[in-house]
Amino acid sequence: MGTVRTAVRVEGVVQGVGFRPFVYGLATGLGLTGLVGNDLDGVFVEVEGPEPAVSEFLLRLERDAPPLARIERVTARAIVPRREASFHIAASDHAGPRRTLVSADTATCADCLRELADLANRRSGYPFINCTNCGPRFTIVRDVPYDRPLTTMAEFAMCEQCAAEYHDPADRRFHAQPTCCPACGPRLTLHGHDRDHHDEGPAKADPLHAAAELLRQGKILAVKGLGGYHLAADAACEDAVAALRARKHREDKPFAVMAADLAAARRLAEVDDTAAALLASQARPIVLLPRHAHAQVATATAPGNRQLGIMLPYTPLHHLLLANLARPMVLTSGNVSDEPIVYRDDEARDRLATIADAFLVHDRAIHVRTDDSVARTFRGRPMLIRRSRGYVPEPITTTNGFPRPVLACGAELKNTFCLARGHHAFVSHHIGDLENAETLRSFTGGIEHFRRLFDIDPQVVAHDLHPEYLSTKYALELADNGHVDLQGVQHHHAHIASCLADNGYDAPSPVIGVAFDGTGYGTDGTIWGGEFLIADLVQFERGGHLALVPMPGGAAAIREPWRMAAAYLGETARDLDVATRHQERWAAVVAMARKGVNSPLTSSAGRLFDAAAAILGVRDTINYEGQAAVELEQLADPGEAGEYPAAVAAGQGPFQARGADLLYAVMEDRTRGVPAPVIAARFHRGVAALIEKGCLLLRDHHGLGTVALSGGVFQNSLLLHAAVTRLEARGFTVLLHSRVPCNDGGISLGQAVIAAARDRG
Ligand SMILES: [Zn+2]
Ligand SMILES: [Zn+2]
Ligand SMILES: [Zn+2]
């Protein structure tokens, strides 16, 4: 039988995921000779031997690939046999353009957990255990190719035993870049504000045990994690969680809880199969779940919220800390109010000193600040609300691709950016609200990092139309300084395009896009946010929108929802409790709105929800974006079947959906003493009915049967459920977000695919 030699190239997420040892094991098992190596394109292989064995190799290469590998393409071609004696691993090739993919950080695998608990193992109880199938990746990568010297593990020289495992093709730590052990790897220390305080005695002997003891005493710990510092407290301890809230200056926004395992999570909240799979997935996001009424969680964890954000441990450090504590802990980002999460040791000591009683830290640097991801489930599918640690930087693959490299700069709030090339859109980790110097640095530094990691030199730069967004200004500066083409993309068009890309929708026909959010720059000088668009990836037409209403005081109307109630209802509401609560200013604000003094016009769905929340006494002022709407959803009685009617006024141009009708109905029921949970539910269902009406009108005119729902308002699952049910009952195909957020975190992807579609011409 003849000997053949085949050169194979494997592209996708194939570095840092145990691919070379897998290939080595497979080839040697089949008696083949040749080589395997990493280069800037991914993995290259040459195998030589009898033809049937080589065929078998190619078959199993894809079928049996390691769990973390994402193979996107395998190409093979015959080459001349070389007759070498064995199979070996070739050195990495760093030259040339980079096309390889860096994998996301991955939760500790079952094999490592077994070793962690095995007293006979040399890594027993070692908080930094990892292997080719798990551990830190994106957060420690400084550059590509993904090799130890280019990660923050470069400072740790491997001991003899680790080096032997690292170089042994049969070992599961073969070429696992963060391989380490207690003898050679990062170390854990516990210290007080004064660094030497805990350096003696029990804390030095067993920092984890001492840290758990502090938590049990009601103390607050700063814990250095994977993508940044967290603040931890015993989740059941009222005083500790209340103190954490007070010291962090975070008034109402819920804290997440980390539970040891699924059983512990189930004691706190309802966990269905989809949620269980999501909780236990390699990405380990925070999952928003319906909490049990009797859940043993301090009141201050998620005040006034029927949901609880729960995550499972994703690093060995978390596993060990929870095992020592033996109950759930609050684990929230280490920052003061709205600042970005702290990730450098010096800034942690500075900025967390007034919050944390002690610091549980280690000496492995975090290269990229990466927040925990947040998800919920909807009808058996995950819905990401914040896509960050565990997901980033894995690309969203698009069918039509990007003719030229694109940078999309995203929106202002919940910013992400997106760099795209070929068929890959690399949506960044959560950057945050671009309103301070620190976040702006994360934004610009992040873009530089992604450009290097993925070797993308953008020729097209997409941006929001809002001239005051810092992301827009950044795009304009790039255009001033270099040869890039700018693409301005309307905010709500980007939302709909993002939803289309999320669904892999590539039909040429346009869809009905319903984009409901708080704020977006319109093309007519008004603030949009309750939009019905006829959209494809190139352009859109405004088919309809919520009727315009003044925002008395501009930004003040966003912070103080009662102003929106005044703007919508005016003097007719003078006897309502919301008006009497603001008696001294009600008439003035109503007059301001009517005369249009400092009262920009908006079609925002967010402001409509704000007004309803204020009328029902849910909230007159807010402490975080979208708070009034979130609490209104929490208040609503999910069993209520009634709804308020609202008219859609069609005429020349876009139709006007009369949101005010809903608020008059809310006012009437409020006056009649109908319970607030019933009113809140009828309002939600009324908004869903309004969406249905708008879509039916557009289907009649344009003959379109697909609806894409996007915008932050659709994080509201009560509304989403009601809207989807009605639309599907009418025969619409409904597209929803899953992999990227429906909120402004998804805007950059939408901008990128629109820029590419326009580029294709
Ligand atoms: Zn592992
Ligand atoms: Zn070692
Ligand atoms: Zn938006």
Side-chain angles (χ1 to χ4, degrees):
M1 196 177 306
T3 291
V4 297
R5 188 176 182 92
T6 303
V8 188
R9 173 150 290 291
V10 190
E11 288 165 74
V13 180
V14 288
Q15 293 189 4
V17 294
F19 210 84
R20 285 174 302 173
F22 156 68
V23 169
Y24 181 91
L26 183 59
T28 49
L30 290 166
L32 300 172
T33 61
L35 56 91
V36 59
N38 278 349
D39 65 9
L40 296 156
D41 288 325
V43 166
F44 59 90
V45 188
E46 291 182 19
V47 281
E48 182 171 329
E51 199 279 324
V54 170
S55 296
E56 180 69 16
F57 174 87
L58 291 173
L59 179 81
R60 289 208 227 156
L61 182 71
E62 287 191 69
R63 194 189 63 192
D64 303 338
L68 297 188
R70 304 263 184 285
I71 296 183
E72 299 208 323
R73 195 154 64 140
V74 177
T75 46
R77 65 192 168 88
I79 54 172
V80 182
R82 284 210 206 133
R83 317 267 172 203
E84 74 257 75
S86 64
F87 192 90
H88 72 278
I89 305 225
S92 291
D93 180 1
H94 297 198
R98 293 158 194 170
R99 259 182 290 281
T100 185
L101 304 181
V102 174
S103 104
D105 300 278
T106 301
T108 316
C109 74
D111 288 335
C112 285
L113 285 180
R114 253 192 304 279
E115 288 185 1
L116 192 65
D118 175 6
L119 293 177
N121 191 283
R122 69 191 187 91
R123 293 189 180 87
S124 165
Y126 181 55
F128 305 97
I129 188 171
N130 66 78
C131 73
T132 44
N133 294 325
C134 73
R137 298 288 188 274
F138 173 63
T139 51
I140 62 165
V141 172
R142 291 193 169 120
D143 209 339
V144 283
Y146 173 65
D147 267 336
R148 192 173 177 109
L150 297 177
T151 71
T152 63
M153 282 301 290
E155 287 90 279
F156 302 92
M158 275 185 270
C159 69
E160 241 171 72
Q161 269 177 296
C162 285
E165 291 168 343
Y166 180 89
H167 291 293
D168 175 5
D171 195 278
R172 69 184 184 84
R173 292 198 169 81
F174 175 70
H175 281 228
Q177 306 306 339
T179 289
C180 58
C181 76
C184 66
R187 274 162 212 268
L188 194 65
T189 47
L190 178 69
H191 64 81
H193 297 297
D194 162 14
R195 285 217 69 181
D196 305 321
H197 186 65
H198 287 273
D199 258 352
E200 292 306 321
K204 185 165 190 185
D206 190 348
L208 278 163
H209 185 82
E213 189 49 41
L214 287 176
L215 288 174
R216 264 191 297 274
Q217 290 166 9
K219 299 280 197 270
I220 294 166
L221 274 188
V223 181
K224 186 175 179 183
L226 205 50
Y229 274 73
H230 280 112
L231 291 159
D234 178 350
C237 179
E238 296 284 352
D239 290 349
V241 182
L244 176 56
R245 202 165 268 293
R247 293 186 206 168
K248 232 173 105 76
H249 301 295
R250 176 142 142 173
E251 274 131 342
D252 304 295
K253 221 170 177 177
F255 289 148
V257 171
M258 184 177 267
D261 49 29
L262 278 176
R266 288 198 163 99
R267 283 194 287 276
L268 300 174
E270 217 172 284
V271 181
D272 65 16
D273 290 351
T274 315
L278 194 54
L279 278 169
S281 67
Q282 289 157 354
R284 300 269 157 130
I286 296 167
V287 184
L288 304 181
L289 298 163
R291 76 193 277 179
H292 294 317
H294 57 270
Q296 296 265 310
V297 169
T299 324
T301 308
N305 213 307
R306 285 198 292 238
Q307 292 188 322
L308 199 56
I310 300 181
M311 63 182 144
L312 299 186
Y314 53 85
T315 67
L317 172 55
H318 296 141
H319 281 282
L320 294 167
L321 187 56
L322 278 176
N324 267 283
L325 183 62
R327 56 187 144 177
M329 61 182 173
V330 160
L331 202 62
T332 184
S333 48
N335 57 4
V336 181
S337 60
D338 291 329
E339 288 174 4
I341 184 171
V342 165
Y343 73 112
R344 284 191 306 263
D345 299 328
D346 51 344
E347 62 170 352
R349 275 195 297 277
D350 260 21
R351 310 222 322 245
L352 304 181
T354 53
I355 308 178
D357 297 306
F359 291 76
L360 186 62
V361 301
H362 58 76
D363 50 357
R364 184 183 71 210
I366 298 169
H367 188 67
V368 183
R369 177 209 320 267
T370 315
D371 292 79
D372 290 320
S373 294
V374 182
R376 73 167 3 136
T377 63
F378 185 77
R379 293 184 163 189
R381 279 211 311 177
M383 260 183 88
L384 282 179
I385 292 170
R386 184 165 73 200
R387 182 182 183 274
S388 210
R389 194 258 315 144
Y391 294 96
V392 172
E394 288 185 8
I396 306 287
T397 304
T398 65
T399 19
N400 292 327
F402 301 86
R404 288 189 292 166
V406 176
L407 165 66
C409 296
E412 178 90 338
L413 298 179
K414 299 185 171 68
N415 177 277
T416 62
F417 59 83
C418 173
L419 273 153
R421 183 186 61 178
H423 285 269
H424 289 141
F426 299 94
V427 179
S428 77
H429 47 303
H430 169 78
I431 301 291
D433 300 347
L434 289 183
E435 46 193 21
N436 59 49
E438 182 70 17
T439 344
L440 190 62
R441 262 199 301 280
S442 281
F443 172 75
T444 53
I447 290 173
E448 287 313 311
H449 188 53
F450 269 57
R451 282 178 66 154
R452 232 183 14 256
L453 279 192
F454 305 110
D455 195 30
I456 298 177
D457 188 16
Q459 293 173 27
V460 182
V461 175
H463 61 88
D464 197 274
L465 297 182
H466 200 307
E468 293 305 316
Y469 279 5
L470 292 178
S471 55
T472 305
K473 291 181 172 168
Y474 177 84
L476 300 183
E477 264 170 44
L478 279 187
D480 280 347
N481 298 338
H483 306 284
V484 296
D485 292 338
L486 284 178
Q487 279 290 349
V489 178
Q490 200 279 325
H491 188 91
H492 302 92
H493 186 205
H495 269 307
I496 298 307
S498 174
C499 184
L500 297 182
D502 195 340
N503 285 277
Y505 180 91
D506 53 3
S509 60
V511 300
I512 299 171
V514 182
F516 274 27
D517 65 1
T519 300
Y521 196 82
T523 53
D524 61 356
T526 66
I527 300 165
W528 292 13
E531 309 308 310
F532 294 78
L533 310 180
I534 307 295
D536 59 25
L537 291 181
V538 175
Q539 56 192 357
F540 73 95
E541 174 194 332
R542 199 181 192 197
H545 56 85
L546 288 177
L548 293 173
V549 60
M551 288 167 60
I558 300 176
R559 289 191 302 270
E560 300 175 21
W562 70 269
R563 287 172 180 257
M564 289 314 300
Y568 263 112
L569 301 177
E571 282 302 318
T572 56
R574 140 176 101 242
D575 298 329
L576 273 184
D577 45 347
V578 62
T580 45
R581 279 199 302 277
H582 300 280
Q583 216 164 13
E584 342 66 77
R585 291 196 287 165
W586 188 268
V589 167
V590 169
M592 189 179 183
R594 209 176 26 232
K595 291 182 196 141
V597 180
N598 186 20
S599 298
L601 292 174
T602 188
S603 54
S604 165
R607 299 296 82 77
L608 178 67
F609 273 82
D610 283 356
I615 299 168
L616 290 181
V618 170
R619 197 142 274 285
D620 286 341
T621 58
I622 57 163
N623 296 315
Y624 64 90
E625 195 219 352
Q627 185 180 12
V630 167
E631 293 180 0
L632 187 68
E633 180 192 0
Q634 299 299 319
L635 173 73
D637 174 1
E640 169 61 30
E643 71 186 42
Y644 299 131
V648 171
Q652 294 290 65
F655 67 74
Q656 314 254 324
R658 291 187 41 86
D661 292 359
L662 300 174
L663 296 178
Y664 282 113
V666 168
M667 175 168 78
E668 213 166 284
D669 269 359
R670 180 79 173 168
T671 315
R672 285 172 40 220
V674 176
V678 172
I679 301 178
R682 289 176 181 169
F683 170 79
H684 275 82
R685 298 170 61 81
V687 175
L690 200 55
I691 289 172
E692 178 195 357
K693 264 188 200 169
C695 291
L696 286 173
L697 203 64
L698 292 179
R699 180 164 72 182
D700 284 350
H701 280 189
H702 301 269
L704 302 173
T706 300
V707 177
L709 301 180
S710 190
V713 166
F714 289 109
Q715 282 169 228
N716 182 323
S717 32
L718 188 64
L719 173 70
L720 186 65
H721 192 269
V724 173
T725 307
R726 300 184 83 111
L727 290 169
E728 286 182 347
R730 292 290 193 166
F732 285 104
T733 301
V734 185
L735 304 178
L736 305 176
H737 280 274
S738 175
R739 299 181 292 165
V740 291
C742 65
N743 59 44
D744 285 3
I747 286 286
S748 63
L749 176 65
Q751 293 173 341
V753 295
I754 288 171
R758 289 179 183 163
D759 213 19
R760 276 193 300 274

